[in-house]
Amino acid sequence: MWVEDISPAAAPPQPPAARGAPRLFVVANPGSGANDSAQTRQMLERVFREAGRPAAFADVSSPAMLARAFALAAAQAREEGGVLVGVGGDGTINTAAQAALAHRCPLGVIPQGTFNLLARDQGIPVHAETAARALLGASPRPMQVGFINGQVFHLNASLGLYPQLLQDREAFNAQFGRHPWVAAISALVTLFQWRRQLVLDVELDGHRTALTTPMLFVANNRLQLERIGLDEDITANLGAGRLVGLASRPIGGWAMLGLLLRGALGRLGEAGQVRSFSFQRLEVRVRGRRRVKVSTDGEVRVMIPPLSFSVAPQPLMLMVPAEADRAPRE
């Protein structure tokens, strides 16, 4: 299913900086971003060829092929001492990170999504061509990622209302197309139809408690927490082996809509209904549920409780741009 090789033999003479540089193994999500995937690939081929950087491109015809493509590319990157490169949004990068951790190879990121929070947090330019040029001079740096039952998340993992919002949004998009007004209507429908409260038995760093909430949200990205307006003393707890959890008191549709609006306006820290806590390990049992929908970096999957949240035992080696190529954190 892959690869097309763009090698130095077919390229112009290599600049000194490119000689001996690790090969890039590029996998792109054909469904990510507003640009045509063929145009994005042509651009990347041109940038890497002009720099004399060896690169190989996976042939991915549909998003369903991504996980296998990333696994194959990561295995080859590990064998050759190369770099796995993910092209897509935060969900695509989740799949790439899973493969990079499993095969212990560095990961480069070319953003092509809507929010691109990992890229923004790490100084990676969100413009694809600028990000590609920055990747040429990037170096691997360790980055903390989370685990939930062995599944990686670099931004967040959640259960309850949020995964349902995402699933309903995709159903509306399939019927009416991907438009902002479709996403807004979908969210309103979900909020006012949602009546379920999760009853959770929680073990938090060895301490047990019961929790009733419409949603449990676990974060691993400081920029995301800052954007929704959590206090600095909460965001400062993220990192160095710790994650941050958020849960609201049992509330109805109107109150939940108010919380979401506060988050959108960067004022969630003012809401008294939200409890936040940092932890190293969190184990969650869901009363009355043998299976539960879980979102990891915006991708919804079904898991079997208990759910175990923790920091991955090894960091993700992320290719971070040189200081001169870093984008402002925003």
Side-chain angles (χ1 to χ4, degrees):
M1 62 177 291
W2 93 309
V3 294
E4 178 180 338
D5 195 18
I6 307 299
S7 64
Q14 298 180 69
R19 293 173 190 160
R23 183 183 301 238
L24 305 175
F25 293 86
V26 186
V27 181
N29 184 346
S32 288
N35 296 325
D36 180 80
S37 58
Q39 292 178 345
T40 299
R41 175 164 169 164
Q42 290 170 6
M43 177 274 292
L44 294 175
E45 289 175 348
R46 172 177 52 80
V47 169
F48 299 150
R49 183 180 290 113
E50 288 174 352
R53 185 68 174 265
F57 288 76
D59 184 13
V60 184
S61 58
S62 74
M65 299 172 62
L66 272 176
R68 182 166 179 261
F70 274 122
L72 291 172
Q76 197 162 350
R78 166 72 174 182
E79 182 179 345
E80 297 188 18
V83 176
L84 177 65
V85 179
V87 184
D90 288 315
T92 300
I93 302 309
N94 176 286
T95 307
Q98 188 84 23
L101 276 177
H103 293 277
R104 301 195 177 193
C105 66
L107 175 65
V109 172
I110 307 293
Q112 282 274 278
T114 302
F115 300 108
N116 302 312
L117 285 170
L118 180 144
R120 295 178 189 276
D121 193 40
Q122 296 295 324
I124 298 171
V126 295
H127 182 265
E129 183 166 348
T130 308
R133 296 187 184 281
L135 178 60
L136 295 170
S139 303
R141 297 286 184 272
M143 188 189 83
Q144 172 178 296
V145 293
F147 259 3
I148 172 172
N149 288 17
Q151 172 64 43
V152 166
F153 62 95
H154 57 81
L155 293 180
N156 57 65
S158 63
L159 58 150
L161 178 58
Y162 187 62
Q164 192 63 48
L165 281 168
L166 295 176
Q167 190 173 59
D168 290 349
R169 184 188 67 189
E170 289 306 305
F172 270 68
N173 286 341
Q175 186 172 359
F176 301 108
R178 293 185 179 274
H179 306 285
W181 64 267
V182 172
I185 292 174
S186 168
L188 289 173
V189 170
T190 305
L191 283 174
F192 291 107
Q193 287 183 344
W194 183 266
R195 296 291 181 269
R196 284 164 281 177
Q197 302 290 333
L198 299 174
V199 182
L200 308 177
D201 292 313
V202 174
E203 184 173 329
L204 178 65
D205 288 341
H207 301 284
R208 296 182 179 180
T209 186
L211 181 64
T212 301
T213 181
M215 178 175 66
L216 175 65
F217 188 91
V218 175
N220 183 58
N221 183 275
R222 187 168 295 172
L223 179 61
Q224 186 174 45
L225 293 179
E226 292 171 354
R227 282 188 167 191
I228 62 178
L230 291 187
D231 294 338
E232 187 177 347
D233 59 345
I234 298 171
T235 61
N237 289 323
L238 184 63
R242 301 188 72 83
L243 301 168
V244 169
L246 302 172
S248 76
R249 294 189 293 104
I251 54 178
W254 283 109
M256 181 57 71
L257 177 60
L259 281 184
L260 293 178
L261 288 174
R262 282 180 181 272
L265 296 172
R267 296 170 51 194
L268 192 63
E270 302 172 8
Q273 302 102 321
V274 177
R275 175 191 176 190
S276 63
F277 49 93
S278 70
F279 63 90
Q280 292 180 314
R281 180 170 294 275
L282 176 68
E283 185 162 301
V284 177
R285 289 175 169 80
V286 186
R287 294 186 192 176
R289 302 280 188 90
R290 294 184 178 180
R291 297 175 181 271
V292 62
K293 292 175 186 175
V294 175
S295 167
T296 53
D297 298 334
E299 301 295 317
V300 179
R301 65 196 78 231
V302 175
M303 291 187 176
I304 300 174
L307 305 175
S308 180
F309 297 84
S310 64
V311 171
Q314 64 191 53
L316 175 68
M317 298 305 294
L318 184 71
M319 299 297 291
V320 175
E323 192 63 36
D325 296 326
R326 289 179 63 86
R329 188 172 177 271
E330 56 182 9

